[in-house]
Amino acid sequence: MSDIWAGLEAAFWLIVTLDGDLVEITARSLHVSLSALIIASCIALPFGTWLAIRRFRYRRTAIAVLNALMGLPPVVVGLIVYLLLSRTGPLGVFGLLFTPTAMIIAQVIIITPLIASITHQAMRELWAEYHDLLISLNTSKRQRIMTLIWDGRRALLTAALAGFGRAIGEVGAIMIVGGNIDHATRVLTTAIALETGKGDFALALGLGFVLIALALAVNILIHSLSQTEQEGRW
Amino acid sequence: MVSMTLSLQKAVVKRRGKTILGPVDLDLKEAQFTIVLGPNGSGKTTLLRVLHGVERLTNGTLSLSKSNEDARQEQAYVFQSPIMLRRTVRANLAYPLELLGRPKSEIETKVQRWAHRIGLEDALERHAPRLSGGEKQKLALARALIREPEVLFLDEPCANLDGRSTREIETLLIAARAQGTRIIMTTHDMGQARRLAYDIVFMLGGRVHEQGAAAGFFDAPKTQEAGAFLNGEIVE
Ligand SMILES: Nc1ncnc2c1ncn2[C@@H]1O[C@H](COP(=O)(O)OP(=O)(O)OP(=O)(O)O)[C@@H](O)[C@H]1O
Ligand SMILES: [Mg+2]
């Protein structure tokens, strides 16, 4: 028990004094997860919308595959990316293993299906609602997509935030492909795992608080967005 | 306004192997205010959607004086259950004009005018999906009329409305008609049909069972089924 109290106290000071290690690790976490989020969103938002609007032959199959990919265990994703990037792997020449780039790649693979699936769901509902009106008003394809994206913008943002929440809290895949190297690939989650193992609860708890704060901020954002959705503001 | 062709030849709509409309031959060239009557499921909605070009024909043809796309540009449709954009009342009214790229000042003037006509001038900033059912129906009508269409389709625009709202809508429709808009509308309200119709299309089992001038139809229906329908009997 006293361990925890001492840890809490130390964590408090680490945060208040903006401890160098803490700041560095937090910044790297944000860098990796935000990069992954931006890349994944660029793929998943248009793809999810497209999947909702377009009818094509293997649409059902595509949706089923997407939902299956959503359930991929991060550790397995990490393993596969590791094999692809390792020096003997097909992409080994780029020397990306144990770099933040490798971690970004792994996170993109983990969160793209999630964002695409939430996007698809929301856009399909909106499209079903608007379909007849938009056809009746003789809208062009472009006008339809713009209308759907604009009126579905909260849902799209919620999807992106959900992806970010998953990325920032993920540990299995980035541990494998990043290697948790100090001053190189160490991020919040992997550092917590390491410091806990070493028994340095102060740093582990400090990092934990930062992580919780980030996750909480994302959740509050999602919540307030779905709130405004009902009230129809912005 | 240029007279507009709107006719169907041997039109058939099948869904899942079942014929839900037709075969229908219909010519609405001279129609001024056409009321489509018929029991539930007789194909009224399907007929209107086919005429508007949002429902594909399985067989037969729809003849328009312009290409399908151009014709739809001059038409407006008020759906049986109003579709509200998830935006404000103002944005809903402005939307059809924005699609046409009209200047902001014109849009603003028209939005104000139509909001006033439907009594929603104080609700312009409200979220349209949260309006009452009757307000939504009026908004859908105003959004359809704001483009001053040549042809207006209305699918039971006054269902669920009280007497006052119904009269407000009828007044708007009569005014639009006077401006040269051709109206084709379904209703289950016989009083309304008598008040508004120039001519009647009576549907039964997916077909046009009887068609003719309103006066003749109400006073002396040609078919037994139409007579029974007018007497409020159940027709199948
Ligand atoms: N997409 C569809 N698939 C299968 N059946 C359909 C479809 N659309 C309509 N129908 C059927 O076609 C028939 C005609 O429907 P329609 O909506 O045109 O009737 P209606 O005269 O407008 O009825 P109401 O007075 O209840 O509005 C109904 O039996 C309906 O169930
Ligand atoms: Mg109907």
Side-chain angles (χ1 to χ4, degrees):
Chain A
M1 200 62 203
S2 65
D3 261 5
I4 296 179
W5 276 118
L8 277 175
E9 202 188 327
F12 174 79
W13 286 113
L14 283 175
I15 294 172
V16 172
T17 56
L18 292 175
D19 173 78
D21 278 351
L22 187 79
V23 170
E24 187 200 315
I25 292 170
T26 305
R28 188 172 302 111
S29 253
L30 285 173
H31 166 237
V32 168
S33 293
L34 284 174
S35 304
L37 173 66
I38 290 166
I39 297 168
S41 294
C42 287
I43 304 167
L45 296 181
F47 180 67
T49 306
W50 180 79
L51 209 53
I53 295 178
R54 263 310 278 272
R55 319 211 134 267
F56 58 98
R57 225 165 125 200
Y58 297 107
R59 182 153 162 254
R60 280 173 172 281
T61 320
I63 293 165
V65 169
L66 186 65
N67 288 332
L69 286 177
M70 212 169 36
L72 273 184
V75 180
V76 178
V77 172
L79 174 63
I80 293 166
V81 174
Y82 183 99
L83 292 174
L84 290 174
L85 297 184
S86 71
R87 262 200 294 145
T88 51
L91 304 175
V93 286
F94 299 109
L96 291 175
L97 199 60
F98 304 132
T99 65
T101 309
M103 296 154 78
I104 294 171
I105 293 172
Q107 291 205 335
V108 167
I109 296 173
I110 292 167
I111 66 176
T112 299
L114 176 73
I115 300 177
S117 181
I118 299 177
T119 301
H120 166 248
Q121 188 67 33
M123 287 314 216
R124 198 178 52 179
E125 255 170 50
L126 195 60
W127 177 231
E129 198 178 312
Y130 281 11
H131 177 272
D132 282 354
L133 180 68
L134 296 187
I135 300 288
S136 164
L137 285 170
N138 225 8
T139 47
S140 65
K141 233 184 212 124
R142 195 171 162 273
Q143 286 173 327
R144 277 174 218 169
I145 299 220
M146 293 311 286
T147 301
L148 287 176
I149 288 180
W150 180 248
D151 287 8
R153 62 194 179 280
R154 288 186 213 92
L156 297 183
L157 204 60
T158 307
L161 283 173
F164 179 72
R166 174 126 197 234
I168 195 86
E170 198 279 322
V171 58
I174 51 174
M175 184 73 101
I176 295 177
V177 302
N180 194 20
I181 301 164
D182 204 7
H183 301 301
T185 58
R186 186 160 300 168
V187 292
L188 286 171
T189 49
T190 55
I192 291 172
L194 179 76
E195 300 304 330
T196 307
K198 287 201 310 201
D200 184 353
F201 295 116
L203 190 53
L205 276 171
L207 296 162
F209 286 132
V210 174
L211 190 56
I212 289 173
L214 284 172
L216 224 70
V218 168
N219 271 304
I220 289 170
L221 257 173
I222 292 180
H223 183 74
S224 69
L225 279 173
S226 53
Q227 202 83 34
T228 45
E229 170 127 53
Q230 281 162 19
E231 273 150 33
R233 302 255 167 70
W234 79 261
Chain B
M1 208 168 271
V2 204
S3 117
M4 187 174 209
T5 318
L6 202 56
S7 67
L8 290 172
Q9 291 88 37
K10 300 196 174 63
V12 175
V13 176
K14 289 187 187 173
R15 289 290 173 264
R16 296 187 196 118
K18 191 175 143 244
T19 302
I20 62 175
L21 185 81
V24 168
D25 284 284
L26 192 66
D27 192 354
L28 294 175
K29 226 176 244 161
E30 304 303 323
Q32 306 201 291
F33 201 135
T34 305
I35 297 272
V36 181
L37 295 174
N40 291 134
S42 57
K44 303 182 295 297
T45 298
T46 309
L47 176 69
L48 258 60
R49 291 174 61 92
V50 161
L51 288 169
H52 185 43
V54 294
E55 189 82 51
R56 258 189 319 131
L57 286 171
T58 313
N59 273 312
T61 46
L62 166 69
S63 304
L64 302 159
S65 47
K66 302 171 182 173
S67 80
N68 205 332
E69 298 278 298
D70 287 347
R72 211 182 302 137
Q73 199 80 26
E74 306 295 336
Q75 300 178 349
Y77 196 111
V78 177
F79 292 94
Q80 190 159 0
S81 39
I83 303 170
M84 294 290 107
L85 295 171
R86 298 181 187 174
R87 304 178 180 195
T88 60
V89 172
R90 179 192 298 280
N92 266 274
L93 283 171
Y95 186 72
L97 299 174
E98 283 168 2
L99 291 176
L100 298 180
R102 296 284 170 79
K104 277 218 159 61
S105 56
E106 180 197 328
I107 295 178
E108 181 54 31
T109 318
K110 287 192 171 160
V111 165
Q112 289 291 345
R113 186 189 309 152
W114 280 100
H116 179 72
R117 285 189 186 156
I118 55 172
L120 288 180
E121 65 265 49
D122 294 328
L124 277 171
E125 304 312 326
R126 282 178 61 194
H127 192 54
R130 291 173 78 84
L131 295 173
S132 80
E135 289 166 338
K136 281 183 194 166
Q137 274 166 300
K138 288 191 228 176
L139 177 55
L141 175 66
R143 191 180 55 197
L145 282 171
I146 205 161
R147 270 189 186 181
E148 292 161 9
E150 281 181 33
V151 183
L152 175 63
F153 296 99
L154 299 142
D155 201 354
E156 296 184 37
C158 298
N160 309 314
L161 292 188
D162 62 17
R164 192 171 137 207
S165 299
T166 301
R167 204 176 55 208
E168 281 169 20
I169 286 195
E170 287 182 12
T171 308
L172 288 175
L173 294 180
I174 290 166
R177 169 78 273 289
Q179 300 282 313
T181 298
R182 222 172 267 281
I183 298 178
I184 299 152
M185 169 175 147
T186 73
T187 182
H188 286 288
D189 176 347
M190 287 306 136
Q192 182 171 57
R194 284 174 195 269
R195 285 192 295 276
L196 297 175
Y198 284 56
D199 65 333
I200 298 286
V201 171
F202 177 64
M203 303 282 299
L204 197 62
R207 292 168 187 242
V208 176
H209 198 74
E210 187 172 334
Q211 187 192 3
F217 180 83
F218 287 115
D219 295 341
K222 285 185 282 249
T223 60
Q224 195 200 331
E225 290 82 357
F229 182 77
L230 285 173
N231 284 331
E233 291 164 28
I234 294 162
V235 189
E236 271 150 348

